[in-house]
């Protein structure tokens, strides 16, 4: 059971790295398309440039949401709602310290921390619900990105990006 908990934490950290990489690559693709449209002389005032700009800004903003979503590992967030029954307290002290450092804490975690200690030091009592915000944002982001890609593709098929 303890090993499964730590593996779920490691899996969450891998997802954070994957989503960060995906956002970086999507931003690069939008940058390339933007530069192509920018330097094609007939499209300097095109709505396509505006769409690409907004997509690039939205994707950059996604990095902030992704960071906040994974800033504090779920296993530590559970301490606020579950207290002593949280999976965090089933980990050994070395694993606890590793999870604690992933939450951005450089200080040493006490040998037997209390839920109040963790909640107070991570300010969990006044934290926005970033897990919920992140999921809502992901749905909105996918809808905007997919509809924009559909629009850009249809314009490209119709005009080849030329007037």
């Amino acid at each position: 059971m303890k090993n499964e908990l730590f593996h779920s934490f490691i899996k969450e950290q891998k997802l954070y790295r994957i989503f960060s990489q995906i956002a970086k690559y999507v931003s690069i693709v939008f940058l390339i398309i933007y530069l192509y449209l920018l330097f094609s002389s007939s499209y300097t005032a095109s709505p396509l440039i505006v769409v690409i700009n907004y997509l690039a800004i939205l994707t950059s903003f996604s990095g902030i949401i992704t960071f906040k979503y994974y800033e504090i590992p779920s296993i530590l967030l559970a301490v606020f709602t579950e207290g002593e029954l949280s999976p965090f307290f089933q980990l050994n002290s070395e694993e606890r310290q590793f999870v604690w450092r992933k939450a951005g804490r450089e200080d040493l975690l006490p040998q037997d921390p209390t839920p109040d200690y963790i909640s107070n030091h991570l300010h969990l009592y006044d934290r926005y619900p970033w897990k919920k915000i992140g999921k809502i944002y992901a749905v909105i982001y996918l809808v905007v990105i997919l509809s924009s890609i559909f629009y850009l593709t249809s314009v490209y098929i119709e005009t080849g990006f030329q007037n």
Side-chain angles (χ1 to χ4, degrees), residues 9 12-17 19-20 62-78 98-106 118 121-124 126-134:
F9 163 73
E12 181 180 71
Q13 293 300 306
K14 285 180 183 177
L15 279 173
Y16 172 62
R17 284 193 300 273
F19 288 142
S20 295
S62 298
I64 296 169
I65 300 295
T66 303
F67 170 75
K68 294 304 284 181
Y69 187 91
Y70 288 105
E71 180 182 30
I72 298 178
S74 298
I75 198 167
L76 275 173
L77 289 174
F98 184 75
V99 172
W100 185 249
R101 289 192 185 274
K102 282 294 184 177
R105 303 299 302 194
E106 291 300 320
I118 292 170
H121 278 77
L122 295 178
H123 304 285
L124 297 180
D126 63 353
R127 180 175 168 77
Y128 286 113
W130 286 108
K131 296 292 184 183
K132 186 176 184 179
I133 292 169

Side-chain angles (χ1 to χ4, degrees), residues 143-157:
V143 167
V144 170
I145 290 293
L146 292 175
S147 60
S148 297
I149 289 173
F150 176 76
Y151 169 72
L152 290 171
T153 304
S154 66
V155 169
Y156 181 76
I157 289 171

Side-chain angles (χ1 to χ4, degrees), residues 91-123:
L91 300 175
N92 66 40
S93 62
E94 185 179 304
E95 292 170 337
R96 284 185 195 171
Q97 189 62 44
F98 184 75
V99 172
W100 185 249
R101 289 192 185 274
K102 282 294 184 177
R105 303 299 302 194
E106 291 300 320
D107 54 331
L108 288 177
L109 185 66
Q111 191 67 12
D112 291 318
T114 64
D116 287 337
Y117 177 86
I118 292 170
S119 293
N120 287 336
H121 278 77
L122 295 178
H123 304 285

Side-chain angles (χ1 to χ4, degrees), residues 7-54:
H7 284 297
S8 71
F9 163 73
I10 296 297
K11 183 179 177 183
E12 181 180 71
Q13 293 300 306
K14 285 180 183 177
L15 279 173
Y16 172 62
R17 284 193 300 273
I18 289 169
F19 288 142
S20 295
Q21 290 288 13
I22 289 171
K24 182 172 72 173
Y25 293 137
V26 169
S27 290
I28 289 170
V29 167
F30 289 142
L31 176 65
I32 291 168
I33 294 170
Y34 173 74
L35 290 174
Y36 169 76
L37 292 173
L38 182 66
F39 292 112
S40 74
S41 60
S42 61
Y43 272 88
T44 55
S46 169
L48 294 174
I49 295 291
V50 174
V51 170
I52 295 295
N53 274 330
Y54 286 139

